[in-house]
Amino acid sequence: PQTLLKAAQETMRDSGLFQPDDIKLRTYPAADYLVGTRDAAGSFCHVLIYLLEGRPLEKKQALTDAMLDALMRAWPQLDAYSV
């Protein structure tokens, strides 16, 4: 998880949308889940980003795209990613 957290932290900092000390990151493992239609659980990472109002849609979309790219680079072995 530290690799993922560091990648997410860097992505958020580099977006220019946040003051560095305002970025808060945490992980929550999911005990029960399925990915797609597999009988086995598979592996996934889902990121929720909460932003205060007032940021332009283009900036939000750019952050989402950058975060997805960072996740895929940090943990390429996962079966699914979502932001």
Side-chain angles (χ1 to χ4, degrees):
Q2 282 298 313
T3 302
L4 174 67
L5 287 172
K6 290 288 187 186
Q9 181 184 44
E10 181 178 315
T11 299
M12 293 183 80
R13 186 189 65 233
D14 291 350
S15 75
L17 294 172
F18 310 93
Q19 294 297 318
D21 289 340
D22 292 338
I23 299 170
K24 296 164 185 69
L25 304 161
R26 58 192 70 69
T27 62
Y28 295 105
D32 299 305
Y33 64 91
L34 294 173
V35 175
T37 58
R38 295 181 187 88
D39 289 334
S43 58
F44 75 97
C45 180
H46 175 70
V47 173
L48 293 174
I49 301 173
Y50 294 102
L51 298 171
L52 297 175
E53 291 184 31
R55 295 193 172 87
L57 181 58
E58 301 82 34
K59 297 272 187 181
K60 293 179 192 179
Q61 187 61 53
L63 176 59
T64 298
D65 294 344
M67 186 62 70
L68 183 58
D69 183 60
L71 294 176
M72 295 173 79
R73 282 185 283 112
W75 280 5
Q77 71 277 15
L78 297 184
D79 296 317
Y81 308 86
S82 60
V83 178

